[in-house]
Amino acid sequence: MIRTLLLALAACQAPTSARAPLVEQDAMIDMVGGWRWLHRTEENGTVRIEDEQWRLHYTQGSPLAGSYLRTVEIRSTDALGFPCNQRPWYRQRALFDVVIELDGDGGYRARETGYTAEPSPCDHEFRHVTDYAVEPRGNRMDLRWDGGSQTLWHVDDESVALAKPWADTPTTPAGAWRWQTRSVDDDRNLREETEWWEITPRTDTLFDATYRRRVRVHSSSGQPIACANAPSWTFDDAYVLSGEREDEHWHLVERAVDAGAHPCLAATPQRALDEATAEVVGDFVVLEWRGKRRQVLYRP
């Protein structure tokens, strides 16, 4: 009688091995949706903002899968440009594919399976894929690896996969571009230069281009600059160019110039017409002029 009762009780209880997958499945479902991590630091005259946006989805019988978009933005606190793009800020972005599976010890482990990086003159576009422990904690999710950790926060219930937010790199430099820089001259005056470019295709391998250049010089002390009899002065140039494709690059040649005139330019020799090679890198055109002078145009 007792043996029969024990067998009946045992038959009413689900085996432990049958319950464990249900618990694991519930935890997987709890991780579905959107997550966010944001971190800000300041050092060496720069502000660094790191931002990760995650989207995870779950299919019965498959690992938890998804992707995350990692964005790193660096800004100069003194408004001077960085050498890579000659602007006071730059951004690096990459979209990572990731799966989350059981690690064999009752926990979870994330594994990056690939990535796509946004082309930029400030990014070598190479990333190391890695793996790390994952611990779901309600509306938080802790990630841990050797030497570090971070906590993601649940932000919504969307499970739609992320897509890269940048377009594929165009094959030609056609379109509108801009360039700006700030520097200090030998007299400690602030010099600001701006160029507005328009590049128009003529054929698949030939194009025409123009750019207008404006230079402003400001006295650092506020006192009049002798040649201008004022604390600042300005001049404008305009250039006409032609270009053609050369393998993976483009070759630009200045054909004509409408040079600006100002009393402060009297002692400055007129600049000779120049030529350069151009490479399209994402939303930038990198120019290498004769004499190894580098210039980076950006889309306005």
Side-chain angles (χ1 to χ4, degrees), residues 105-180:
D105 296 321
Y108 301 93
R109 195 155 193 89
R111 176 169 49 87
E112 295 169 355
T113 59
Y115 66 88
T116 303
E118 180 181 24
S120 166
C122 295
D123 193 341
H124 50 58
E125 300 180 46
F126 176 76
R127 305 290 192 278
H128 288 286
V129 293
T130 186
D131 61 276
Y132 30 85
V134 177
E135 182 183 354
R137 301 174 60 194
N139 66 343
R140 294 184 296 172
M141 187 161 61
D142 293 338
L143 310 180
R144 295 188 179 88
W145 59 92
D146 290 342
S149 66
Q150 70 185 64
T151 299
L152 308 179
W153 290 85
H154 195 269
V155 292
D156 58 41
D157 293 326
E158 296 178 13
S159 58
V160 178
L162 283 172
K164 65 179 184 179
W166 60 87
D168 292 333
T169 298
T171 57
T172 75
W177 304 89
R178 192 168 178 178
W179 177 75
Q180 291 176 293

Side-chain angles (χ1 to χ4, degrees), residues 2-241:
I2 295 176
R3 182 173 181 276
T4 303
L5 179 60
L6 290 176
L7 289 173
L9 290 173
C12 294
Q13 295 179 357
T16 302
S17 59
R19 288 200 307 270
L22 295 178
V23 174
E24 294 156 3
Q25 178 177 313
D26 289 344
M28 287 286 192
I29 293 174
D30 287 343
M31 286 188 278
V32 167
W35 303 83
R36 185 86 180 269
W37 178 74
L38 192 64
H39 185 60
R40 184 180 188 274
T41 55
E42 294 187 35
E43 62 179 358
N44 300 326
T46 64
V47 174
R48 177 187 179 94
I49 300 174
E50 300 174 72
D51 184 2
E52 291 184 8
Q53 299 180 53
W54 289 62
R55 290 287 186 276
L56 298 174
H57 55 86
Y58 177 67
T59 302
Q60 182 75 31
S62 300
L64 190 68
S67 56
Y68 72 91
L69 176 67
R70 175 173 169 79
T71 303
V72 179
E73 186 174 297
I74 309 293
R75 290 190 174 270
S76 169
T77 56
D78 57 13
L80 295 180
F82 291 97
C84 62
N85 68 348
Q86 301 172 344
R87 303 193 68 196
W89 73 279
Y90 68 87
R91 178 180 61 199
Q92 298 174 332
R93 293 192 292 187
L95 184 65
F96 289 81
D97 297 319
V98 63
V99 296
I100 300 178
E101 302 172 291
L102 287 170
D103 64 4
D105 296 321
Y108 301 93
R109 195 155 193 89
R111 176 169 49 87
E112 295 169 355
T113 59
Y115 66 88
T116 303
E118 180 181 24
S120 166
C122 295
D123 193 341
H124 50 58
E125 300 180 46
F126 176 76
R127 305 290 192 278
H128 288 286
V129 293
T130 186
D131 61 276
Y132 30 85
V134 177
E135 182 183 354
R137 301 174 60 194
N139 66 343
R140 294 184 296 172
M141 187 161 61
D142 293 338
L143 310 180
R144 295 188 179 88
W145 59 92
D146 290 342
S149 66
Q150 70 185 64
T151 299
L152 308 179
W153 290 85
H154 195 269
V155 292
D156 58 41
D157 293 326
E158 296 178 13
S159 58
V160 178
L162 283 172
K164 65 179 184 179
W166 60 87
D168 292 333
T169 298
T171 57
T172 75
W177 304 89
R178 192 168 178 178
W179 177 75
Q180 291 176 293
T181 188
R182 303 177 72 197
S183 59
V184 177
D185 64 20
D186 294 338
D187 296 323
R188 306 303 300 169
N189 294 321
L190 178 63
R191 181 184 178 95
E192 298 178 323
E193 300 180 56
T194 304
E195 293 181 5
W196 295 266
W197 285 66
E198 288 287 343
I199 300 178
T200 305
R202 196 189 319 162
T203 67
D204 290 342
T205 59
L206 300 174
F207 64 80
D208 298 312
T210 61
Y211 72 88
R212 180 167 57 91
R213 174 173 173 259
R214 173 168 294 169
V215 179
R216 296 180 183 272
V217 180
H218 305 267
S219 169
S220 58
S221 64
Q223 297 299 312
I225 299 172
C227 62
N229 196 29
S232 66
W233 60 281
T234 303
F235 73 92
D236 293 90
D237 289 333
Y239 293 81
V240 176
L241 309 89

